Structures are given as structure tokens and as C-alpha cells.
Amino acid sequence: MNISKSRDLFVRAEKLLPGGVNSPVRAFRYVGGDPLFIERGEGAYLYDVDGNRFLDYLASWGPLILGHCHPEVVAAVEGAVRRGSSFGAPTPGEVEMAELVVAAVPSIDVVRMVSSGTEAVMSAIRVARGYTGREKILKFEGCYHGHSDALLVKAGSGALTMGVPDSAGVTKAFAADTLTAQFNDTDGVRELLGQVGGEVACVVLEPVGGNCGVIPPPPGFLEMLREETANRGIVLLFDEVITGFRVAYGGAQSLYGITPDMTTLGKIIGGGFPVGAYGGKREIMEQVAPLGPVYQAGTLSGNPVAMAAGIATLKQLQKPGIYETLECLSAKLEAGLTEAAQRHGVTATLNRVGSMLSPFFTDRAVRNFADAASSDADVYAAYFRGMLERGFYFAPSKWESGFVSTAHADDDIEATVAAANEVMAQLAAT
Ligand SMILES: *Cc1c(COP(=O)(O)O)cnc(C)c1O
């Protein structure tokens, strides 16, 4: 594969950007080799600056559930940008977006739009603290909630990829207010909340882990959290930045039938533009300025171009059969990859929830961070490179999810499985 133009760009980029990138995992450090610079996307495909084509399972880390350049999204964005890119005043799109979100997500009566998932979770935590008058939060090891200080404690995603789950620059005071537990440790969580529950403002989690590979919630775990938090006056916050409109139109909370007090969204609702949102029960959201004492604001919040992209995306997702199609394609991919590993004697566990899936190269069932950590990073890197060389672009780190989009077709999945068979055969041989 010729990647000379990407290499030249990376040489220039490394002089000017930390590690040559604007978000760490993009640098490919975990899997080796130079990152590819992307020129354009079309449907399920990515094209790099050297003209190589890849079937895209990264989906911009989740947002692109319709694939690249969906015509309705492009038309909505073009229309919006011609009317003006930002006003700093209310626009109709914000109302329409709020109506769509509130109708879709069971826990959200009132919503505030922001510009990233990080901002959404950071703000939701502030609201939970303001509402409860308590300071501590409980999060789970390997869950990623963006890069705000309080949440970069035992964090997932790029923090794991870079080996800094506890980031430098986060003060001891911030870290001290962030308690952590294991994702599937029902007894441990009950015990911890029994001891300090009265000081805890918020329990925050990804209801389906998506930032240390895909980890479905263990049976009964979400129910237990709902019960414990309700009994102790703790705000239960589902971070559905990945799972919202991904695992089901109403997110993981509608899939599993557990309604949290607050929810954060991002990724898909921006339709590929920088967007986040937080919302919840009316009583809680009435804490937010200008109604209440919790301050939060944003110059570009509810940006009209981003709202147009998000609204167009959600409208496509309302069409009948979308999630069934995604489920079929993703189940087929899961089965094909599992079979490929088995056929060639490669030890692997495939985890999947809807159109999120990830292979773990381990003999363990993967139910929490420790299980995910047991998977072989070198084998993942070799798998990644083998697939990339064959034209299949998965996440450049074992700590991430792969995403199927509505732009993927049946024969795309078949081609992926065929390539995976070749790669697994190579892995088995080395
Ligand atoms: C991506 C992600 C975030 C952070 O969103 P950004 O838009 O990257 O700031 C937060 N929480 C979860 C669960 C995510 O997957």
C-alpha cells in the first residue's frame, strides 16, 4: 500500500501538533505504522490522500451511523450553512432537535445542547452536584466520559491506549472526589454505596461499555444501580454519548428498560458535527442557568449547522427497519469473525451489542476492564494492520469499538469476513 502522501503530511504535522494529531489515538501509536490522512468519505468507504480505499468500521468513532455524506444530511447542512453558520441567538433547529431527543430518550424531559461529549458529561456532573449538594461521584474502571478533570480517573479509550488512565495534570482533589468500581462488581458497588452513598452526587457509567472494547452490562447490573441510587438520593447518569441512537433509537436505556435520572448524548446526534447534549428529569434540569444556580453556557451551543446535520440523521433513523438491518449486518459480521478465529485456531472473544462490536484476543469472557486488559495487544495490532492492508479500517487500538453503519451492505460484510479469514490464518502462523 502506497502511503507516501500520508507520510509527508505526518512529517509536517509532527512538527506542529502534539504527536502530529488533534486526538491521541489517531496517531496509530498503539498499532504501529504511520496514520493515514483521509481525503474524503463516501457511504461506507474512506479514501486516503494516496487514493487508497477502505471499508470504514471506525465511523468517526461512532457518529456516522449513516455512513459518509448521506445525501439528506449533506442537503440539510448545505441549506443551513447558506442561511448562516452561527447567530448566538435561538434558532428553530434547536427546538426541533430538543423535541426529537425528548421523544426518543425515556429519561430526558428537558435537554441542553453543548458542543462535545466531554462538555456534556462535565456539565451533567456539575448539575448532579448542584442538585444533590454532594461532591463525590462514582465511575467505573475503563469507562470513558471525555477528558474533563474529574472523569480522567481510571478512564477508558485514548487514556488507556496511551497508558494514562489517570492523567497527569489532574489534581489530587479532583481525583479524590471520583470513586471508582469495577463494571460488573455488584457486591462491591453495593458495599461502597452502603459506606459513602450519602456523599455521592452521581453514579455515572456507559450502560454498554464502548471505550475499553464493547462490554454489555452484566445481567441485573443496571437494575441494581437503579435501585441503589434511587434509595440513596443519588443521580444515576447514563453516558450514552456512544450508545444513544446507536444500540437502539432510544439508546441503551430503552434497550434494557432502565431509566436513569440524567443522560448524556453526543456523536450520532451531531451527524458528524461537534455536538453533545445532557438532559434528564425536569426537576434536575431546572437547576441549570438561567432557571437555576448551576452555570453552563456555550458560544456555539446548538449551532444551526450541527443541529441540521443531527436532525437529518435522526430522521433517517426513524425509518422502519433501520435498527433491524443494522442488527442483521452486525450479527453476520460477529458470526463471521468468530468463525474465522475458530477456524484458524486464534483465541478470541467477540463482544457485540447492536452495531457496536469488538474482538478481544483473550480466552476469557470479557465482562469488565480487567478481562479486556487480559486481551493481547500485539495480536490486536497485527489484526488491525492485516485488515488495514486489505482495505478494512477498524479502530487503531484494542480499547475501542467497531461500528457498522446503514451504508454497509451484505457483500461488504462478506468481504470483511473473507479478509479476516486471511488475517487470522496469518496470525495463527506467526
Ligand atoms: C466519545 C465519548 C465521550 C466524549 O465525547 P467527545 O465528543 O469526544 O468529547 C464521552 N463519553 C462517551 C461514552 C464517549 O464515547
Side-chain angles (χ1 to χ4, degrees), residues 15-150:
K15 292 185 188 132
L16 305 166
L17 305 167
V21 290
N22 283 311
S23 195
V25 191
R26 294 180 195 170
F28 275 27
R29 295 220 160 179
Y30 195 83
V31 289
D34 288 335
L36 303 178
F37 283 70
I38 304 302
E39 189 160 272
R40 66 189 183 91
E42 188 183 320
Y45 290 90
L46 284 176
Y47 296 81
D48 72 8
V49 289
D50 291 288
N52 302 303
R53 187 180 88 148
F54 303 92
L55 189 61
D56 184 14
Y57 287 105
L58 187 71
S60 185
W61 305 91
L64 299 182
I65 193 166
L66 304 177
H68 298 274
C69 301
H70 188 286
E72 298 290 332
V73 177
V74 171
V77 167
E78 279 178 355
V81 80
R82 282 179 205 288
R83 291 189 295 275
S85 57
S86 184
F87 307 108
T91 54
E94 294 165 82
V95 185
E96 193 176 356
M97 173 60 91
E99 285 169 350
L100 286 166
V101 167
V102 168
V105 184
S107 63
I108 300 186
D109 302 329
V110 177
V111 64
R112 167 67 58 87
M113 303 306 301
V114 293
S115 298
S116 71
T118 296
E119 216 188 322
V121 189
M122 177 187 82
S123 308
I125 299 271
R126 183 180 305 143
V127 173
R129 284 176 164 149
Y131 175 71
T132 58
R134 301 172 182 176
E135 298 198 347
K136 293 200 186 310
I137 62 171
L138 172 62
K139 78 177 283 292
F140 294 88
E141 192 168 357
C143 281
Y144 179 69
H145 303 294
H147 62 85
S148 69
D149 284 343

Side-chain angles (χ1 to χ4, degrees), residues 96-429:
E96 193 176 356
M97 173 60 91
E99 285 169 350
L100 286 166
V101 167
V102 168
V105 184
S107 63
I108 300 186
D109 302 329
V110 177
V111 64
R112 167 67 58 87
M113 303 306 301
V114 293
S115 298
S116 71
T118 296
E119 216 188 322
V121 189
M122 177 187 82
S123 308
I125 299 271
R126 183 180 305 143
V127 173
R129 284 176 164 149
Y131 175 71
T132 58
R134 301 172 182 176
E135 298 198 347
K136 293 200 186 310
I137 62 171
L138 172 62
K139 78 177 283 292
F140 294 88
E141 192 168 357
C143 281
Y144 179 69
H145 303 294
H147 62 85
S148 69
D149 284 343
L151 293 158
L152 271 187
V153 178
K154 297 206 172 68
S157 191
L160 282 172
T161 305
M162 300 302 136
V164 287
D166 301 281
S167 170
V170 172
T171 65
K172 286 198 187 73
F174 266 119
D177 279 335
T178 303
L179 311 172
T180 59
Q182 283 292 334
F183 191 61
N184 61 345
D185 183 7
T186 297
D187 293 343
V189 171
R190 279 199 203 274
E191 197 182 308
L192 184 65
L193 292 180
Q195 287 162 3
V196 296
E199 298 166 55
V200 174
C202 175
V203 171
V204 54
L205 77 157
E206 297 177 66
V208 173
N211 283 290
C212 54
V214 176
I215 307 188
F221 191 65
L222 300 178
E223 288 81 352
M224 178 278 291
L225 290 178
R226 182 62 286 183
E227 182 192 319
E228 288 288 332
T229 51
N231 289 344
R232 299 176 194 284
I234 299 169
V235 172
L236 180 61
L237 166 58
F238 278 9
D239 181 357
E240 299 228 39
V241 169
I242 282 190
T243 53
F245 299 94
R246 165 63 66 180
V247 297
Y249 188 73
Q253 58 198 273
S254 74
L255 186 66
Y256 295 102
I258 303 290
T259 306
D261 304 300
M262 295 188 79
T263 298
T264 48
L265 297 166
K267 298 195 169 112
I268 286 176
I269 58 162
F273 284 77
V275 171
Y278 64 96
K281 287 185 183 157
R282 182 170 302 278
E283 181 187 70
I284 298 176
M285 289 300 289
E286 282 177 350
Q287 298 295 311
V288 180
L291 282 181
V294 176
Y295 192 71
Q296 185 275 311
T299 302
L300 293 177
S301 294
N303 174 265
V305 182
M307 292 302 98
I311 291 164
T313 300
L314 299 194
K315 286 192 170 157
Q316 290 302 309
L317 295 175
Q318 290 177 341
K319 290 189 172 163
I322 291 276
Y323 288 91
E324 288 79 357
T325 305
L326 282 171
E327 174 66 24
C328 271
L329 290 169
S330 310
K332 185 167 168 167
L333 181 60
E334 178 194 11
L337 294 179
T338 303
E339 204 182 68
Q342 277 166 1
R343 176 173 306 143
H344 299 287
V346 174
T347 307
T349 298
L350 255 292
N351 275 8
R352 179 179 73 85
V353 178
S355 54
M356 299 168 63
L357 89 174
S358 56
F360 296 95
F361 293 99
T362 177
D363 56 2
R364 281 157 71 166
V366 177
R367 300 202 182 91
N368 64 16
F369 168 75
D371 297 331
S374 79
S375 73
D376 192 317
D378 294 338
V379 177
Y380 184 87
Y383 172 75
F384 166 84
R385 286 196 303 269
M387 293 303 285
L388 192 71
E389 280 158 19
R390 286 166 179 78
F392 301 86
Y393 197 114
F394 285 91
S397 160
K398 77 165 191 176
W399 298 110
E400 306 288 348
S401 170
F403 300 99
V404 176
S405 79
T406 60
H408 287 93
D410 240 13
D411 51 3
D412 289 327
I413 304 292
E414 280 155 23
T416 311
V417 170
N421 268 286
E422 288 179 20
V423 173
M424 297 283 186
Q426 270 189 354
L427 294 181

